[in-house]
């Protein structure tokens, strides 16, 4: 099957689990034989009088790692949150693996979901990792990771636990599986949050500054997990301030400024040979 | 020198022995008190009332748990609509909570029992309905007053608890495709209850101590039994001391049970 590589054998040794992984991917996979993993067309977003996104288009192929950079307040988070409709765009279109999210006019110049069920279904294909982890504090790490597979996707518990334990082993938290988030370091919490996002076997991973809330000495452990995911060709969109890291893992870098994409290209071009004045200034300000 | 000592400051204090001087003194005083109470006071009535006391305690607990549980079931929507709206419902819930919290429980109880109770009696339809055998008794009014009071206080507590659940955790639920109902059932409600639990402990203890009010409308709870003992034996202090001890024990057990519940989900600095 086409999306088999999303569950690498390295992660799941058990054949039975791998089989179900394919089955759940099949639903979206069938209709998306040749589509981009993610395609965003002319996205606009305004908060009252403030127009944060003024027409952003972006597409990512299977296995692309797109790094989204830009100054504070440039709308990076807003853009990322419009992809899974945590923020409703004012205009524009989002397509995940060939399936376009249906929107209708809200009668006030904006959009609203036309089909809530569809959005919920598509969201289960997008693994989001937040800046502030947002783990559910009343659940252990393991419960956090199996929550969505069991209670949203309806997987049998044993199977979800098996997958979750493999994922936790992978992010180095197997020993912490019965710990509550408030007793863990930021780095551990963020790795658990990544495991939670991986547990839904996402088509695309969305990271919103996953290391910004961490103490400097904890950044490395989280970045190495993300780098690992990039290496296995997982489709990801990554908002980050870690330029060195972006350069290292990204296949494509997008510089957002003033609500539009000011410049984009392969990391070497963006970081070594920036064209626009603003990008030059931004890059020099970061270093 | 000071560098060497620094880590020692973090050693947890040694568990204190039960037999430190001040504790021994306190224990002796307490034992003396117990002895005086047992020796100089009259307790010969106790066996005669034993059965009725046990019944009374049972009635008190029944009143407490039934009103707390049903009241809490009402408190959840009362708190929720105040956070989520719609506006008219939120205002209604808020008004209800303010009204109930702003007037004495005793007054509410009497209004229900003497007011509503006598009003019901004037309608032949009600008198002939299947509900009348219940409406003629006192406990439905006691139950309703206590239940409404608990709902109002806990509605306020739950409002704060719902509002206090970190937005990010709810957002994470939505981001992973949870429906509104799943989000509420799996994240919002348990998280809010978790946050509110320490407050709920205190409120339940207060509720326990409100239950004797129902004795004023002829519901027979442990307080009513003790009153009966006082009338029949002409003793003043002994029955009241016993009553205090009973409430103290019930409170202790309640707090202990809630602690167990809280411990199931440990948190650091909620
Ligand atoms: N819910 C909201 N209501 C009103 N304004 C908002 C809202 N969310 C974001 N904004 C505004 O939109 C702009 C873009 O915000 P956004 O969080 O997307 O920026 P960002 O690029 O992620 O910045 P940072 O690097 O600081 O995270 C900011 O000016 C912000 O104040
Ligand atoms: Mg941001």
């Amino acid at each position: 099957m086409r999306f088999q590589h999303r569950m690498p054998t390295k992660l799941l040794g058990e054949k039975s689990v791998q089989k179900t992984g394919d089955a759940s991917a099949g639903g979206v996979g069938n209709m998306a034989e040749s589509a981009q993993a993610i395609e965003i067309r002319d996205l606009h977003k305004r908060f009252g009088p403030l127009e944060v996104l003024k027409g952003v288009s972006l597409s990512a192929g299977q296995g692309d790692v797109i790094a989204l950079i830009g100054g504070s307040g440039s709308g990076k988070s807003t853009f990322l949150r419009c992809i899974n409709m945590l923020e409703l765009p004012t205009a524009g279109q989002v397509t995940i693996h060939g399936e376009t999210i249906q929107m209708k006019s809200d009668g006030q110049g904006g959009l609203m979901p036309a089909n809530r069920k569809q959005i919920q279904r598509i969201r289960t294909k997008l693994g989001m990792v937040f800046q502030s982890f947002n783990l559910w504090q009343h659940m252990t790490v393991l419960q956090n990771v199996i929550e969505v597979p069991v209670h949203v996707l309806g997987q049998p518990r044993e199977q979800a636990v098996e997958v979750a334990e493999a994922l936790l082993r992978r992010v180095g938290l197997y020993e912490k599986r019965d710990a509550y988030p408030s007793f863990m370091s930021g780095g551990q919490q963020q790795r658990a949050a990544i495991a939670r996002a991986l547990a839904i076997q996402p088509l695309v991973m969305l990271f919103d500054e996953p290391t910004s809330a961490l103490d400097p000495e904890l950044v490395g452990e989280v970045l190495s997990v993300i780098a690992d995911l990039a290496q296995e060709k997982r489709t990801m969109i990554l908002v980050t301030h870690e330029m060195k890291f972006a350069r290292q893992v990204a296949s494509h870098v997008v510089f957002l400024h003033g609500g539009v994409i000011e410049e984009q290209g392969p990391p070497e071009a963006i970081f070594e040979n920036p064209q626009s004045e603003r990008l030059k200034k931004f890059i020099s300000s970061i270093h | 020198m000071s560098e060497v000592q620094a880590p020692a400051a973090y050693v947890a204090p040694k568990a204190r022995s039960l037999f430190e001087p001040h504790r021994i003194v306190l224990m002796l005083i307490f034992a003396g008190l117990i002895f005086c109470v047992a020796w100089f006071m009259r307790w010969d009535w106790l066996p005669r009332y034993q059965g009725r006391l046990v019944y009374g305690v049972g009635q008190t607990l029944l009143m407490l748990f039934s009103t707390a549980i049903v009241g809490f079931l009402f408190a959840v929507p009362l708190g929720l609509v105040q956070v989520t709206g719609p506006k008219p419902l939120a205002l209604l819930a808020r008004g209800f909570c303010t009204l109930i919290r702003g007037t004495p429980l005793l007054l509410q109880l009497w209004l229900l029992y003497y007011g509503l109770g006598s009003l019901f009696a004037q309608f032949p339809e009600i008198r002939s309905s299947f509900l009348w055998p219940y409406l003629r008794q006192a406990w439905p009014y006691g139950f309703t007053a206590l239940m409404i009071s608990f709902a109002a206080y806990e509605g306020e507590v739950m409002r704060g608890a719902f509002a206090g659940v970190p937005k990010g955790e709810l957002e994470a639920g939505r981001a992973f495709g949870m429906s509104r109902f799943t989000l509420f059932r799996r994240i919002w409600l348990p998280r809010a209850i978790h946050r509110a639990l320490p407050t709920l402990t205190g409120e339940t203890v207060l509720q326990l101590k409100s239950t004797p009010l129902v004795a004023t409308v002829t519901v027979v709870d442990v307080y009513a039994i003790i009153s009966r003992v006082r009338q029949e034996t002409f003793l003043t202090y002994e029955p009241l001391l016993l009553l205090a001890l009973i409430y103290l024990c019930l409170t202790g057990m309640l707090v202990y049970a809630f602690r167990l519940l809280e411990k199931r989900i440990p948190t650091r600095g909620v």
Side-chain angles (χ1 to χ4, degrees), chain B residues 169-230:
Chain B
E169 288 179 44
L170 299 178
E171 199 158 68
R174 288 202 289 136
F176 285 107
M178 285 188 181
S179 65
R180 282 191 214 184
F181 179 69
T182 307
L183 186 68
F184 177 73
R185 190 176 63 91
R186 298 292 310 168
I187 313 290
W188 210 7
L189 181 63
R191 193 72 173 81
I193 292 179
H194 180 216
R195 286 175 59 90
L197 215 47
T199 319
L200 288 179
T201 310
E203 296 280 330
T204 310
V205 169
L206 285 178
Q207 180 77 353
L208 167 69
K209 290 184 288 188
S210 301
T211 52
L213 288 182
V214 298
T216 64
V217 297
T218 74
V219 176
V220 178
D221 70 338
V222 68
Y223 175 80
I225 303 280
I226 290 287
S227 299
R228 171 74 65 78
V229 173
R230 289 178 60 194

Side-chain angles (χ1 to χ4, degrees), chain B residues 115-167:
Chain B
L116 213 54
S118 56
L119 197 69
F120 283 158
Q122 290 168 10
F123 290 97
E125 296 91 338
I126 293 182
R127 293 192 70 120
S128 58
S129 86
F130 72 99
L131 281 173
W132 186 241
Y134 300 103
L135 292 178
R136 262 174 49 193
Q137 297 174 31
W139 66 262
Y141 302 93
F143 169 84
T144 308
L146 280 176
M147 187 271 284
I148 285 179
S149 153
F150 197 76
Y153 280 94
E154 275 23 85
E156 197 60 29
V157 170
M158 289 312 289
R159 182 193 62 75
F162 278 125
V165 172
K167 289 279 163 297

Side-chain angles (χ1 to χ4, degrees), chain B residues 41-168:
Chain B
M41 290 181 135
R42 277 190 50 199
W43 296 100
D44 54 333
W45 49 272
L46 209 47
R48 263 185 294 138
Y49 288 96
Q50 205 175 31
R52 271 179 278 179
L53 279 169
V54 170
Y55 170 81
V57 169
Q59 289 301 304
T60 292
L61 285 179
L62 185 65
M63 218 28 151
L64 170 68
F65 287 125
S66 60
T67 58
I69 290 169
V70 178
F72 187 74
L73 290 182
F74 279 101
V76 169
L78 274 175
L80 192 65
V81 296
Q82 288 186 66
V83 177
T84 60
K87 200 80 184 238
L89 266 183
L91 280 176
L92 212 65
R94 174 168 219 117
F96 172 79
C97 287
T98 310
L99 183 74
I100 299 296
R101 280 154 37 101
T103 52
L105 174 55
L106 187 61
L107 178 72
Q108 296 159 16
L109 178 64
W110 285 3
L111 278 177
L112 275 178
Y113 182 68
Y114 297 112
L116 213 54
S118 56
L119 197 69
F120 283 158
Q122 290 168 10
F123 290 97
E125 296 91 338
I126 293 182
R127 293 192 70 120
S128 58
S129 86
F130 72 99
L131 281 173
W132 186 241
Y134 300 103
L135 292 178
R136 262 174 49 193
Q137 297 174 31
W139 66 262
Y141 302 93
F143 169 84
T144 308
L146 280 176
M147 187 271 284
I148 285 179
S149 153
F150 197 76
Y153 280 94
E154 275 23 85
E156 197 60 29
V157 170
M158 289 312 289
R159 182 193 62 75
F162 278 125
V165 172
K167 289 279 163 297

Side-chain angles (χ1 to χ4, degrees), chain A residues 76-78 131 208-209 239:
Chain A
K76 306 180 297 292
S77 300
T78 306
Q131 182 173 352
D208 189 1
E209 299 193 31
V239 174

